[in-house]
Amino acid sequence: MTGGPTNLLDPHVGDVAAAERLGRRRSGEHGGEAGAKASFRWAAVRAGHLARPRVDTWPPGSRGDTWTFLIRLRPGRGRGGGSCPVNLKYEDDRPVDGKGIGRRVIDKLQQTYASELANKDFAYDGEKSLFTIGALPQVNNEFTVVLEDINTGKSAANGGSPGNDSPGNDRKRVRRPYQSKTFKVELCFAAKIPMSAIAQALRGQESENTQEAIRVIDIILRQHSAKQGCLLVRQSFFHNNPSNFVDLGGGVMGCRGFHSSFRATQSGLSLNIDVSTTMIVKPGPVIDFLLANQKVDHPNKIDWAKAKRALKNLRIKTSPANTEYKIVGLSERNCYEQLFTLKQRNGDNGDPEGVEVSVYDYFVKNRGIELRYSGDFPCINVGKPKRPTYFPIELCSLVPLQRYTKALSTLQRSSLVEKSRQKPEERMSVLSDVLKRSNYDSEPMLNSCGISIARSFTQVAGRVLQPPKLKAGNGEDLFARNGRWNFNNKRLIKASSIEKWAVVNFSARCNIWDLVRDIVKCGGMKGIKVEDPFDVIEEDPSMRRASAARRVDDMIDKMQKKLPGQPKFLLCVLAERKNSDIYGPWKRKCLAEFGIITQCVAPSRINDQYITNVLLKINAKLGGLNSLLQIETSPSLPLVSKVPTIILGMDVSHGSPGQSDIPSIAAVVSSREWPLVSKYRASVRSQSPKLEMIGGLFKPQGTQDDDGLIRELLVDFYTSTGKRKPDQVIIFRDGVSESQFTQVLNIELDQIIEACKFLDEKWSPKFTLIVAQKNHHTKFFVPGSPNNVPPGTVVDNTVCHPRNNDFYMCSHAGMIGTTRPTHYHILHDEIGFSPDDLQELVHSLSYVYQRSTTAISVVAPICYAHLAAAQVSQFIKFDEMSDASSSQGGHTSAGSAPVPELPRLHNRVRSSMFFC
């Protein structure tokens, strides 16, 4: 490919002329070496199914526009207040919180009042907005809708459940022949969205209404899936098909579904469709779920306090009536002993009188239902706090497609990753099949918008960047092939010394002295001088059952008694690999309190490759470098090597799903010792839960001091670079969506500029801000090949944004599954990179990750920021704060409690790559 607009091979791609008018940002910039680079064509899933309008039959006038209505759903008698959002209540003013009730009401509305609504089709978002193509007959509309056989719980007389003061004992409900509810539906005109914006998007042009118009057709896709009975999670949908379920253990299943959304791209409007996975509660008998969830083999071993938390808010179906309810809790007593008042008639004409009866006796004797094991266990309560309604546990089964939103265990996560992998060929086949089965062409709302969807993937042009040349010790070259290289018979370019060190062993079952011997031997081969350790300190067997904090304190005491002085380095051997309780307290003691570099290992099988990988981490932590880019040693990195340049990587990590009150951790790493771009340090702070914007970049303390994250990084660059301030600042930001780009510019970049001005009012560096996104659904495939795209693949046309400066890069080799490219967005560029130079810089920064001998999927500064946040967050155990989170997740208002501060790193390790 030598520049200019891309040849659009697929007949469904759209307006070629429009794509040419937009131009490829790389146009005219591929002279010389760039023009000689390999050219390929990739199939891009996101642009694979392009929506095109039937422009020649576009509906004239108002029929081409979408009208937005805000809806209010209220009980059947009387009008409510002036609230616009959906406000759905029963006649006794109890709020309806059942999922999907709004969709049922709107469906019934369409059936009942078709003629009054001019036979319009609706696009309803399930909450507060409803869209039609063209206007309804009236601006304000009001209707009464009756839903029959709604699952609200039936009375004992109608075959439902008993309970103390339960709904089943309400005489008015007993006399009611059908379970029906009445709602008042108000449709109020809100806005008019010109659907000509869709036509413009199809031609590769954006207008101010484009995003809102695309939202409408995205809602149409969601509604299409909802009508098929799918679970909807944002833009993804999941069918109740057991072939899509994978068991992750603990009563949790992975459910494979599909993501679908429309996007405006350079080639026009695109349908992005991809495989998606969510976690669901394992459907079936409640008792089976509890056994799996608590990993016990008999109901007698169930912890019912834990069971109550796990079951709260889950939905069940009861037998034999097959009625659906939501669990609110468990009975205080077991089924044999839990009593309620059963009202029975005394004689033919007598008044009802209450009789105390147990739940067990009622179901066995009054209902004739055999109960095999429920008697000894609590009942499921589906009633209200003051009007409980009980069912024996064996009559209750969890309904399918209920999301599980608590944190997964390490084993569950690894199982999910392993079972969700798909080779490129398999994924392409699955996506082609789901598009055919989705039958979007039958969707009347899409047809009304003049949209049809192609059945083939879009052809896009890509190129493969050559891997950067690397340097090892003694001036030797390292050659990367398929994104990988090795240090066989090579020395590290800057080897550190491991001196004044010791080994501590927390009850790991391995031969420690063999491990030490291998480290000394392998280190010598790589150029690292490894002295003999002071000692190997074994944990007392009596401490193995103590708390993690006590075990760490005891080990520190033993170490201080045995060693001649404070060590410079500690090798910590753990028994568990990934979920050791020791890790956090140990890291905190060493890094925050004593300022000792430490490396934790949990060797299961020791070989040369394992030892080499450990030594790469140790060398980087102790100030060494394993390899460098050749253009660093020259130095000849475009623009970056000419003037002092600092590279920042920024990330925020949040608590696991279901842990809504765990503080978020913000981390910023910065390059040091310019002109190097391979050496970094980190600063980490805690902030309010779920807050994505980093608020602590600039924190002035009076007129002289700044306690923000950025100041200490700028000062470190200045001192490590011969007292030179950076004239250029390149920022890589991870983890933000397109809707947050403006905040990144207006909040975070502004804070960084303020921090620079606070240091020196006359200092005005140039800034380039790049956002990296991994959490998207675009995939690239090589047509006719079972393999992933090669490392270094860049796509910057056709499927990129019609106006913004962005590109996709697959810098790493996808060894398993399907490669996911990183989507880079250049939000701000004062430095003035050409597209070639910026893509080469991003590609090169994927090769400077000191922990491994492979190119990584995103630039190293972002990976380091993620590692630093994850490691420092282990200093404080936040898990206990989230004990109240249920299986359905919880919510905490921001600022409701002070955020605990993380311990600051010791001065001796603050500038190190401790996170490696």
mmCIF file of all heavy atoms in Angstrom, residues 15 19 25 118 124 157 169 218 243 246 269 287 309 312 336 349 445 457 495 577 630 638 915:
data_model
loop_
_atom_site.group_PDB
_atom_site.id
_atom_site.type_symbol
_atom_site.label_atom_id
_atom_site.label_comp_id
_atom_site.label_asym_id
_atom_site.label_seq_id
_atom_site.Cartn_x
_atom_site.Cartn_y
_atom_site.Cartn_z
ATOM 1 N N ASP A 15 -20.234 4.259 -0.107
ATOM 2 C CA ASP A 15 -19.901 5.281 -1.077
ATOM 3 C C ASP A 15 -18.389 5.435 -1.175
ATOM 4 O O ASP A 15 -17.754 6.032 -0.336
ATOM 5 C CB ASP A 15 -20.557 6.592 -0.638
ATOM 6 C CG ASP A 15 -20.451 7.666 -1.698
ATOM 7 O OD1 ASP A 15 -19.599 7.530 -2.585
ATOM 8 O OD2 ASP A 15 -21.236 8.635 -1.614
ATOM 9 N N ALA A 19 -15.621 7.996 0.742
ATOM 10 C CA ALA A 19 -14.409 7.572 1.444
ATOM 11 C C ALA A 19 -13.194 8.299 0.888
ATOM 12 O O ALA A 19 -12.291 8.692 1.620
ATOM 13 C CB ALA A 19 -14.230 6.069 1.323
ATOM 14 N N ARG A 25 -5.969 9.425 6.251
ATOM 15 C CA ARG A 25 -5.057 10.377 6.893
ATOM 16 C C ARG A 25 -3.613 10.091 6.556
ATOM 17 O O ARG A 25 -2.749 10.922 6.723
ATOM 18 C CB ARG A 25 -5.270 10.346 8.411
ATOM 19 C CG ARG A 25 -6.508 11.068 8.851
ATOM 20 C CD ARG A 25 -6.628 11.037 10.353
ATOM 21 N NE ARG A 25 -6.820 9.697 10.849
ATOM 22 C CZ ARG A 25 -8.009 9.109 10.889
ATOM 23 N NH1 ARG A 25 -9.059 9.727 10.425
ATOM 24 N NH2 ARG A 25 -8.139 7.896 11.357
ATOM 25 N N ALA A 118 -51.922 5.025 14.987
ATOM 26 C CA ALA A 118 -51.655 5.062 13.542
ATOM 27 C C ALA A 118 -50.832 3.862 13.094
ATOM 28 O O ALA A 118 -50.046 3.961 12.154
ATOM 29 C CB ALA A 118 -50.955 6.376 13.173
ATOM 30 N N TYR A 124 -38.396 0.979 21.784
ATOM 31 C CA TYR A 124 -38.466 1.302 23.207
ATOM 32 C C TYR A 124 -37.186 0.835 23.885
ATOM 33 O O TYR A 124 -36.744 -0.303 23.684
ATOM 34 C CB TYR A 124 -39.694 0.615 23.814
ATOM 35 C CG TYR A 124 -39.823 0.748 25.313
ATOM 36 C CD1 TYR A 124 -39.698 1.981 25.943
ATOM 37 C CD2 TYR A 124 -40.098 -0.370 26.102
ATOM 38 C CE1 TYR A 124 -39.830 2.103 27.311
ATOM 39 C CE2 TYR A 124 -40.231 -0.257 27.480
ATOM 40 C CZ TYR A 124 -40.093 0.989 28.078
ATOM 41 O OH TYR A 124 -40.217 1.105 29.435
ATOM 42 N N ALA A 157 -55.666 -19.752 48.062
ATOM 43 C CA ALA A 157 -56.887 -20.288 47.451
ATOM 44 C C ALA A 157 -56.716 -20.505 45.968
ATOM 45 O O ALA A 157 -57.412 -21.326 45.372
ATOM 46 C CB ALA A 157 -58.051 -19.331 47.690
ATOM 47 N N ASN A 169 -53.424 -14.035 52.012
ATOM 48 C CA ASN A 169 -54.507 -13.955 52.983
ATOM 49 C C ASN A 169 -55.298 -12.649 52.879
ATOM 50 O O ASN A 169 -56.097 -12.324 53.745
ATOM 51 C CB ASN A 169 -53.940 -14.103 54.399
ATOM 52 C CG ASN A 169 -53.385 -15.487 54.615
ATOM 53 O OD1 ASN A 169 -53.973 -16.458 54.156
ATOM 54 N ND2 ASN A 169 -52.247 -15.584 55.284
ATOM 55 N N ASP A 218 -29.631 1.512 17.395
ATOM 56 C CA ASP A 218 -29.096 0.549 18.368
ATOM 57 C C ASP A 218 -30.212 0.026 19.275
ATOM 58 O O ASP A 218 -30.267 -1.158 19.621
ATOM 59 C CB ASP A 218 -27.995 1.190 19.231
ATOM 60 C CG ASP A 218 -26.625 1.137 18.580
ATOM 61 O OD1 ASP A 218 -26.444 0.296 17.668
ATOM 62 O OD2 ASP A 218 -25.749 1.915 18.968
ATOM 63 N N SER A 243 -26.211 -24.839 24.939
ATOM 64 C CA SER A 243 -24.971 -25.048 24.186
ATOM 65 C C SER A 243 -24.049 -23.835 24.295
ATOM 66 O O SER A 243 -22.865 -23.920 23.979
ATOM 67 C CB SER A 243 -25.277 -25.334 22.715
ATOM 68 O OG SER A 243 -25.872 -24.211 22.101
ATOM 69 N N VAL A 246 -21.005 -22.458 29.687
ATOM 70 C CA VAL A 246 -19.825 -23.207 30.150
ATOM 71 C C VAL A 246 -19.780 -23.091 31.674
ATOM 72 O O VAL A 246 -19.936 -21.998 32.225
ATOM 73 C CB VAL A 246 -18.507 -22.703 29.527
ATOM 74 C CG1 VAL A 246 -18.458 -23.021 28.051
ATOM 75 C CG2 VAL A 246 -18.308 -21.213 29.746
ATOM 76 N N LEU A 269 -21.958 3.817 7.477
ATOM 77 C CA LEU A 269 -22.513 3.221 8.684
ATOM 78 C C LEU A 269 -22.179 1.740 8.722
ATOM 79 O O LEU A 269 -22.359 1.028 7.735
ATOM 80 C CB LEU A 269 -24.029 3.416 8.710
ATOM 81 C CG LEU A 269 -24.735 3.065 10.019
ATOM 82 C CD1 LEU A 269 -24.273 3.974 11.140
ATOM 83 C CD2 LEU A 269 -26.241 3.167 9.839
ATOM 84 N N ILE A 287 -31.182 -25.755 45.575
ATOM 85 C CA ILE A 287 -30.274 -26.504 46.445
ATOM 86 C C ILE A 287 -29.001 -26.890 45.695
ATOM 87 O O ILE A 287 -27.902 -26.888 46.259
ATOM 88 C CB ILE A 287 -30.985 -27.762 47.034
ATOM 89 C CG1 ILE A 287 -30.247 -28.238 48.297
ATOM 90 C CG2 ILE A 287 -31.139 -28.860 46.025
ATOM 91 C CD1 ILE A 287 -30.448 -27.360 49.497
ATOM 92 N N ARG A 309 -27.278 -14.383 51.457
ATOM 93 C CA ARG A 309 -26.659 -13.311 50.679
ATOM 94 C C ARG A 309 -26.563 -13.682 49.205
ATOM 95 O O ARG A 309 -26.774 -12.847 48.330
ATOM 96 C CB ARG A 309 -25.270 -12.987 51.232
ATOM 97 C CG ARG A 309 -25.281 -12.338 52.605
ATOM 98 C CD ARG A 309 -23.937 -11.713 52.921
ATOM 99 N NE ARG A 309 -22.866 -12.692 52.994
ATOM 100 C CZ ARG A 309 -22.508 -13.326 54.104
ATOM 101 N NH1 ARG A 309 -23.167 -13.093 55.236
ATOM 102 N NH2 ARG A 309 -21.510 -14.182 54.096
ATOM 103 N N LYS A 312 -30.255 -13.578 47.509
ATOM 104 C CA LYS A 312 -31.068 -12.356 47.542
ATOM 105 C C LYS A 312 -31.205 -11.741 46.160
ATOM 106 O O LYS A 312 -30.224 -11.592 45.432
ATOM 107 C CB LYS A 312 -30.448 -11.348 48.506
ATOM 108 C CG LYS A 312 -31.323 -10.111 48.743
ATOM 109 C CD LYS A 312 -30.710 -9.226 49.793
ATOM 110 C CE LYS A 312 -31.477 -7.914 49.971
ATOM 111 N NZ LYS A 312 -32.859 -8.121 50.382
ATOM 112 N N TYR A 336 -40.054 -27.548 58.814
ATOM 113 C CA TYR A 336 -40.885 -28.259 59.790
ATOM 114 C C TYR A 336 -41.481 -27.299 60.830
ATOM 115 O O TYR A 336 -42.605 -27.476 61.295
ATOM 116 C CB TYR A 336 -40.060 -29.305 60.554
ATOM 117 C CG TYR A 336 -39.777 -30.578 59.794
ATOM 118 C CD1 TYR A 336 -38.490 -31.103 59.745
ATOM 119 C CD2 TYR A 336 -40.802 -31.280 59.154
ATOM 120 C CE1 TYR A 336 -38.218 -32.279 59.071
ATOM 121 C CE2 TYR A 336 -40.535 -32.452 58.466
ATOM 122 C CZ TYR A 336 -39.242 -32.952 58.423
ATOM 123 O OH TYR A 336 -38.986 -34.110 57.756
ATOM 124 N N ASN A 349 -71.215 -22.338 56.408
ATOM 125 C CA ASN A 349 -71.476 -20.902 56.373
ATOM 126 C C ASN A 349 -70.698 -20.132 57.435
ATOM 127 O O ASN A 349 -70.984 -18.959 57.691
ATOM 128 C CB ASN A 349 -72.970 -20.625 56.558
ATOM 129 C CG ASN A 349 -73.790 -21.254 55.445
ATOM 130 O OD1 ASN A 349 -73.441 -21.111 54.282
ATOM 131 N ND2 ASN A 349 -74.858 -21.955 55.819
ATOM 132 N N MET A 445 -38.804 -1.804 12.026
ATOM 133 C CA MET A 445 -38.275 -0.469 12.322
ATOM 134 C C MET A 445 -37.040 -0.157 11.480
ATOM 135 O O MET A 445 -36.857 0.961 11.007
ATOM 136 C CB MET A 445 -37.940 -0.352 13.809
ATOM 137 C CG MET A 445 -39.137 -0.291 14.726
ATOM 138 S SD MET A 445 -40.037 1.274 14.613
ATOM 139 C CE MET A 445 -38.944 2.366 15.518
ATOM 140 N N PHE A 457 -18.403 -9.899 5.440
ATOM 141 C CA PHE A 457 -17.473 -9.048 6.159
ATOM 142 C C PHE A 457 -16.935 -7.967 5.218
ATOM 143 O O PHE A 457 -16.795 -8.177 4.022
ATOM 144 C CB PHE A 457 -16.292 -9.854 6.707
ATOM 145 C CG PHE A 457 -16.676 -10.847 7.762
ATOM 146 C CD1 PHE A 457 -15.976 -12.044 7.892
ATOM 147 C CD2 PHE A 457 -17.717 -10.600 8.616
ATOM 148 C CE1 PHE A 457 -16.323 -12.963 8.858
ATOM 149 C CE2 PHE A 457 -18.068 -11.507 9.588
ATOM 150 C CZ PHE A 457 -17.369 -12.698 9.707
ATOM 151 N N ALA A 495 23.168 -5.087 33.106
ATOM 152 C CA ALA A 495 22.915 -6.063 34.167
ATOM 153 C C ALA A 495 23.190 -5.438 35.527
ATOM 154 O O ALA A 495 24.171 -4.721 35.709
ATOM 155 C CB ALA A 495 23.785 -7.297 33.958
ATOM 156 N N ARG A 577 0.268 -19.746 43.917
ATOM 157 C CA ARG A 577 0.770 -18.966 42.797
ATOM 158 C C ARG A 577 0.126 -17.590 42.672
ATOM 159 O O ARG A 577 0.806 -16.590 42.587
ATOM 160 C CB ARG A 577 0.564 -19.735 41.478
ATOM 161 C CG ARG A 577 1.476 -20.932 41.343
ATOM 162 C CD ARG A 577 1.602 -21.326 39.886
ATOM 163 N NE ARG A 577 2.260 -20.266 39.107
ATOM 164 C CZ ARG A 577 2.355 -20.286 37.788
ATOM 165 N NH1 ARG A 577 1.825 -21.265 37.098
ATOM 166 N NH2 ARG A 577 2.969 -19.318 37.144
ATOM 167 N N GLN A 630 17.117 -0.343 19.336
ATOM 168 C CA GLN A 630 18.314 0.190 18.689
ATOM 169 C C GLN A 630 18.210 1.705 18.513
ATOM 170 O O GLN A 630 19.198 2.429 18.655
ATOM 171 C CB GLN A 630 18.506 -0.485 17.332
ATOM 172 C CG GLN A 630 19.829 -0.136 16.656
ATOM 173 C CD GLN A 630 19.958 -0.787 15.298
ATOM 174 O OE1 GLN A 630 19.209 -0.467 14.379
ATOM 175 N NE2 GLN A 630 20.896 -1.714 15.160
ATOM 176 N N PRO A 638 12.085 9.100 16.113
ATOM 177 C CA PRO A 638 11.564 10.330 15.494
ATOM 178 C C PRO A 638 10.927 11.261 16.527
ATOM 179 O O PRO A 638 10.100 10.836 17.335
ATOM 180 C CB PRO A 638 10.512 9.803 14.504
ATOM 181 C CG PRO A 638 10.969 8.423 14.165
ATOM 182 C CD PRO A 638 11.596 7.892 15.421
ATOM 183 N N PHE A 915 7.201 -2.527 40.129
ATOM 184 C CA PHE A 915 5.995 -3.174 39.602
ATOM 185 C C PHE A 915 6.297 -4.250 38.572
ATOM 186 O O PHE A 915 5.401 -4.956 38.131
ATOM 187 C CB PHE A 915 5.086 -2.107 38.978
ATOM 188 C CG PHE A 915 5.842 -1.092 38.157
ATOM 189 C CD1 PHE A 915 6.253 -1.375 36.867
ATOM 190 C CD2 PHE A 915 6.170 0.148 38.708
ATOM 191 C CE1 PHE A 915 6.968 -0.448 36.136
ATOM 192 C CE2 PHE A 915 6.890 1.076 37.978
ATOM 193 C CZ PHE A 915 7.287 0.783 36.682
#
